[in-house]
Amino acid sequence: MAGAPSRTDAERTASIVHDAAVDLVLTETAHATETSRRLSRVGRAGLTCLAVDGLRPDGYAGAPRQPVRTTADSLALLAYDAGPVTAPRGALLTHGSLTAAMAGLRRTLGTDRHSRIGGWPPRRHTSG
């Protein structure tokens, strides 16, 4: 993050947290403190920000993990657009829609299970 985030950034983060009914924020160690500060500025100080880049899969001490059962209609992720701060719009992406998009990319690019492609979206880009 370049520079200090504005009140608008904090309000946008809080609006998304409220809209998505978030109970936990996953972030990286480099952003956890600032994310907690943003949420505190807008009255969400009690929300836990968990830095996932420091977690070890074999270090989990909780109950045994059960496989998650999903269908094509199961929610895979919730993506937010760059719309207005006060009215964030979340797009519900299902496992089926993501699988179909990946199949389309495979056909278009002529790739198979042995192909490797790297890339990244711009920092403030939402997949759509």
Side-chain angles (χ1 to χ4, degrees), residues 65-101:
R65 292 179 246 177
Q66 298 297 318
V68 176
R69 302 209 190 293
T70 62
T71 67
D73 293 329
S74 298
L75 179 64
L77 63 100
L78 178 59
Y80 280 84
D81 66 8
V85 170
T86 56
R89 293 183 311 194
L92 305 174
L93 303 177
T94 65
H95 284 277
S97 65
L98 292 176
T99 300

Side-chain angles (χ1 to χ4, degrees), residues 12 15 23-24 27 32 40 44 55 60 68 72 74 79 88 94 99 117 125:
R12 177 166 176 71
S15 292
D23 292 318
L24 171 70
T27 188
S40 291
R44 297 298 306 261
L55 297 178
Y60 181 69
V68 176
S74 298
T94 65
T99 300
I117 298 173
H125 175 78

Side-chain angles (χ1 to χ4, degrees), residues 23-73:
D23 292 318
L24 171 70
V25 174
L26 303 179
T27 188
E28 296 175 325
T29 302
H31 304 292
T33 300
E34 184 54 41
T35 301
S36 291
R37 283 187 194 132
R38 279 186 190 189
L39 293 166
S40 291
R41 279 187 220 126
V42 292
R44 297 298 306 261
L47 194 59
T48 300
C49 293
L50 177 63
V52 296
D53 56 327
L55 297 178
R56 291 182 33 196
D58 60 344
Y60 181 69
R65 292 179 246 177
Q66 298 297 318
V68 176
R69 302 209 190 293
T70 62
T71 67
D73 293 329

